[in-house]
Amino acid sequence: LWEIATPESLAALSWRLSLPLLCLLMLPWAFSLALGNQRKHRFFWLVPVILIQFVYISGLMLAKQSISQGHLAVFPGLFWVHGAVIAAGMCVIGIRHAVTRWFA
């Protein structure tokens, strides 16, 4: 795919590189949102994680389509979506830490 160097092939290559990164970046989300009382809210934390995963994959698919059509450059390509997820995760972890410290 790298040697072909068409926008479609480079979009497919960046998509293939992004999927393992997606799995690694979703782990902190799952663990940070899973903290809490397991008896009361046993499966409640799954809903936000599923919604975040849906938005994350939708953003990756939109960026992939934009790269293949030539509207978006290859280098930042899909990696801006990963950067947004990392930034949002840092905000959520910071807010969660501040709230638990405030009410503790």
Side-chain angles (χ1 to χ4, degrees):
L1 291 174
W2 185 263
E3 292 176 0
I4 297 171
T6 63
E8 294 86 14
S9 65
L10 293 174
L13 177 66
S14 59
W15 174 260
R16 291 179 186 180
L17 293 174
S18 292
L19 290 181
L21 190 58
L22 174 139
C23 295
L24 291 175
L25 290 178
M26 285 307 294
L27 282 174
W29 281 98
F31 286 124
S32 68
L33 292 174
L35 298 175
N37 188 354
Q38 294 297 323
R39 292 186 150 254
K40 284 186 178 179
H41 308 288
R42 190 172 190 176
F43 297 108
F44 179 73
W45 64 274
L46 284 174
V47 174
V49 171
I50 291 170
L51 290 175
I52 292 167
Q53 183 84 18
F54 177 74
V55 170
Y56 191 12
I57 291 175
S58 296
L60 286 174
M61 289 171 57
L62 180 66
K64 179 186 171 204
Q65 185 179 25
S66 296
I67 291 171
S68 65
Q69 292 176 352
H71 298 299
L72 192 63
V74 175
F75 172 64
L78 300 180
F79 297 109
W80 68 270
V81 179
H82 298 299
V85 169
I86 290 171
M90 297 299 281
C91 289
V92 167
I93 290 171
I95 290 169
R96 184 169 178 91
H97 179 68
V99 167
T100 54
R101 208 169 93 188
W102 179 265
F103 289 110

